[in-house]
Amino acid sequence: MKIAILGGDGFVGWPTSLHLSDQGDEVHVIDNLSRRWIDAELGVQSLTPMDSIQERTRIWKQETGRTIHFHLIDIAEDYEVFKGWLDDNRPDAIIHFAEQRAAPYSMKSDQHKNYTVNNNVNATHHLLNAMVELELDAHLVHLGTMGVYGYSSVGAAIPEGYLDVEVETLSGEKAAQEILYPANPGSIYHMTKCLDQLLFQFYAKNDGLRITDLHQGIVWGTHTEQTRRHKQLINRFDYDGDYGTVLNRFLIQAAIGYPLTVHGTGGQTRAFIHIQDSVRCIELALQNSPQRGDRVKVFNQMTETHRVRDLAELISRLTDAKVAYLPNPRKEAAENDLVVKNGQFLQLGLDPIRLEDGLLEEVVDVAKAFAYRVDRSRVPAVSAWTREIASEIELDPEHPRLKSVS
Ligand code: NAD
Ligand code: USQ
């Protein structure tokens, strides 16, 4: 298959590109390298030393003889260039990772909110619009998020995208309906993923586009089978307060002797998936395309749920790290329960990697190996969800200021 991987230089996109290339697919990475520019803006770098995309693809070719093509295109800004590329290359499938994906970064300032909405919504809409205009019948696989469902307790399992409801008709009878699960975003970033969902619904209904939306949980880990093959194929690993996700952050904090930064009571329960399973799920989704005219296919791409403070305690037991309970910079429920249906991927053969499989220790080893690259001043999460939260954090005498934990 000829596959375009939009955002193929990123944390999930790079191992996916390697995995599919390894299987013999013709892989084209399209990326504007904005993630690398954001590192420069924030003054941070990946924990792991990451080569340029050109160097990465050169090493891959040297190791395997396979070519991964790279195209520097901003799909949100350069619509005509992107459309021209799609027209010239007409891929069989398109995997769409190319969005600004950090909730704290999206909440940093009004400029960051604008950037995230403009970038993400335009990226997705440009893609859909161009596919229709070019009559390109490619299977579009989008990386969405579990966060579209929201993180408050609902007392029921989260279905895979759609909810069966009963409505009372005008004649007073009950009628069954299936609706998209109500969107309940917790950040500007998550909101853009909710907007994406509506764009997908429209284009599948109106133009018959074949779309799969993967509602992914928090990805943890670093290595996949292919990134291990050469040290210069290593994946990126974010640990900073904006881009580092909770489990990977706790692992690096443990490795550098920094107290684990639990927000609030740590009562938030979240969905998780290992990076190796993430690339496997994408492969399974590609093999199971909807037909033209089908509704958008939604999978919950997660394998287990954990409460944040339980994760901190687990890592603390493994590594003797201290746990710091900090004022929460986010506006989120203090506690939530989360039960998620993920039967579709399990039925297709996914055999999940779990935290208890010993991989946590392995990631601690990665974190220890590169601990010398960590800038401790970039560890605190300082992006507050509202002005009120920002000033509460600054003024609260009971808590250390976020910046002063060390
Ligand atoms: P990432 O930031 O590492 O990668 C995204 C890539 O897209 C980057 O290389 C970036 O340069 C590129 N990009 C962004 N805007 C672009 C544009 N306008 N044109 C071209 N390229 C552009 O993010 P990631 O962690 O690899 O996540 C990939 C996708 O998966 C995202 O859409 C994210 O929302 C989703 N997701 C990630 C996680 C996670 O835990 N990392 C969890 C759930 C969902
Ligand atoms: N948290 C801490 N301490 C930290 C960092 C985070 O307690 O040092 C808490 C947060 O308050 C939150 C939870 O951990 O309750 C998760 O935060 P996160 O940064 O790991 O995850 P999130 O902001 O939700 O975003 C990440 C990815 C995003 C993806 C999402 C999947 O950055 O791209 O969409 O996970 S999900 O969470 O399922 O919506």
Side-chain angles (χ1 to χ4, degrees):
M1 249 198 300
K2 186 193 268 192
I3 306 178
I5 305 193
L6 316 178
D9 187 44
F11 170 60
V12 191
W14 175 241
T16 303
S17 303
L18 296 181
H19 183 78
L20 296 174
S21 174
D22 207 25
Q23 295 194 344
D25 290 314
E26 181 183 326
V27 170
H28 293 260
V29 166
I30 292 183
D31 202 298
N32 66 350
L33 307 184
S34 53
R35 183 66 196 85
R36 293 177 185 252
W37 284 104
I38 291 174
D39 273 348
E41 173 200 343
L42 299 174
V44 297
Q45 57 180 356
S46 161
L47 172 74
T48 47
M50 223 177 42
D51 281 323
S52 68
I53 180 72
Q54 292 86 350
E55 180 65 1
R56 287 170 142 187
T57 55
R58 184 184 74 77
I59 299 288
W60 180 245
K61 172 100 182 170
Q62 171 192 296
E63 292 298 299
T64 63
R66 298 188 189 280
T67 302
I68 294 179
H69 307 268
F70 170 60
H71 313 273
L72 180 65
I73 301 175
D74 187 325
I75 68 166
E77 291 285 331
D78 304 331
Y79 176 70
E80 292 300 334
V81 176
F82 180 41
K83 183 173 140 189
W85 187 90
L86 288 172
D87 198 16
D88 291 345
N89 290 277
R90 304 197 76 87
D92 305 299
I94 301 171
I95 310 177
H96 176 25
F97 297 98
E99 295 181 84
Q100 191 300 98
R101 71 106 177 124
Y105 184 84
S106 77
M107 302 300 286
K108 273 185 115 53
S109 72
D110 53 347
Q111 283 86 359
H112 292 88
K113 290 177 185 177
N114 280 342
Y115 167 71
T116 303
V117 171
N118 292 340
N119 186 65
N120 293 4
V121 178
N122 281 336
T124 300
H125 189 252
H126 285 176
L127 170 60
L128 295 163
N129 196 5
M131 287 172 73
V132 172
E133 194 60 24
L134 300 170
E135 297 182 6
L136 177 59
D137 181 26
H139 176 201
L140 165 56
V141 176
H142 171 251
L143 270 290
T145 173
M146 284 296 301
V148 297
Y149 302 118
Y151 285 109
S152 47
S153 301
V154 287
I158 306 267
E160 303 206 56
Y162 299 93
L163 185 65
D164 292 324
V165 294
E166 208 173 59
V167 290
E168 195 173 307
T169 63
L170 293 174
S171 54
E173 285 154 17
K174 303 279 183 206
Q177 263 197 23
E178 185 192 64
I179 59 168
L180 195 59
Y181 194 91
N184 185 13
S187 72
I188 291 287
Y189 153 71
H190 288 99
M191 189 190 65
T192 64
K193 294 284 182 176
C194 298
L195 298 174
D196 284 348
Q197 287 197 102
L198 287 181
L199 294 173
F200 296 143
Q201 291 293 320
F202 175 76
Y203 277 95
K205 182 184 71 173
N206 197 63
D207 301 287
L209 293 190
R210 292 185 290 131
I211 303 173
T212 299
D213 198 6
L214 303 175
H215 290 184
Q216 184 168 240
I218 300 171
V219 182
W220 67 281
T222 334
H223 294 308
T224 59
E225 195 195 319
Q226 290 79 23
T227 64
R228 282 178 209 282
R229 291 204 188 149
H230 190 284
K231 64 181 183 191
Q232 283 177 273
L233 295 175
I234 197 160
N235 200 7
R236 70 174 299 134
F237 186 110
D238 298 309
Y239 68 88
D240 61 282
D242 286 308
Y243 274 87
T245 49
V246 65
L247 181 49
N248 278 0
R249 269 166 69 69
F250 287 172
L251 292 164
I252 183 63
Q253 290 165 358
I256 63 169
Y258 194 103
L260 309 184
T261 55
V262 174
H263 295 164
T265 60
Q268 277 278 315
T269 306
R270 295 285 176 129
F272 291 85
I273 183 165
H274 188 267
I275 184 74
Q276 180 73 65
D277 282 343
S278 178
V279 301
R280 169 83 175 123
C281 286
I282 292 163
E283 176 196 344
L284 290 170
L286 279 173
Q287 290 164 358
N288 290 277
S289 167
Q291 303 297 312
R292 269 188 95 75
D294 283 357
R295 69 174 191 182
V296 177
K297 199 169 194 173
V298 180
F299 290 85
N300 288 341
Q301 185 161 312
M302 51 70 70
T303 54
E304 56 195 316
T305 59
H306 295 279
R307 207 172 281 276
V308 169
R309 64 169 169 267
D310 296 340
L311 283 179
E313 277 159 24
L314 172 69
I315 293 164
S316 172
R317 275 200 304 279
L318 275 174
T319 63
D320 283 337
K322 292 199 187 92
V323 179
Y325 287 88
L326 299 173
N328 195 343
R330 305 186 184 202
K331 190 165 183 169
E332 57 187 0
E335 308 271 325
N336 77 308
D337 293 322
L338 184 64
V339 181
V340 180
K341 292 192 178 166
N342 65 345
Q344 294 183 99
F345 273 134
L346 298 178
Q347 270 174 14
L348 291 174
L350 178 71
D351 180 14
I353 294 168
R354 297 191 190 276
L355 256 66
E356 69 217 27
D357 293 344
L359 278 169
L360 270 184
E361 286 92 329
E362 184 193 298
V363 187
V364 173
D365 289 344
V366 172
K368 281 193 181 135
F370 296 109
Y372 68 94
R373 287 171 54 86
V374 172
D375 177 351
R376 296 173 76 92
S377 72
R378 299 297 168 186
V379 173
V382 290
S383 177
W385 257 230
T386 65
R387 281 167 204 262
E388 291 72 26
I389 293 176
S391 48
E392 274 167 28
I393 288 171
E394 289 295 314
L395 294 176
D396 189 344
E398 296 298 314
H399 294 287
R401 286 168 64 155
L402 289 179
K403 287 188 191 123
S404 65
V405 178
S406 61

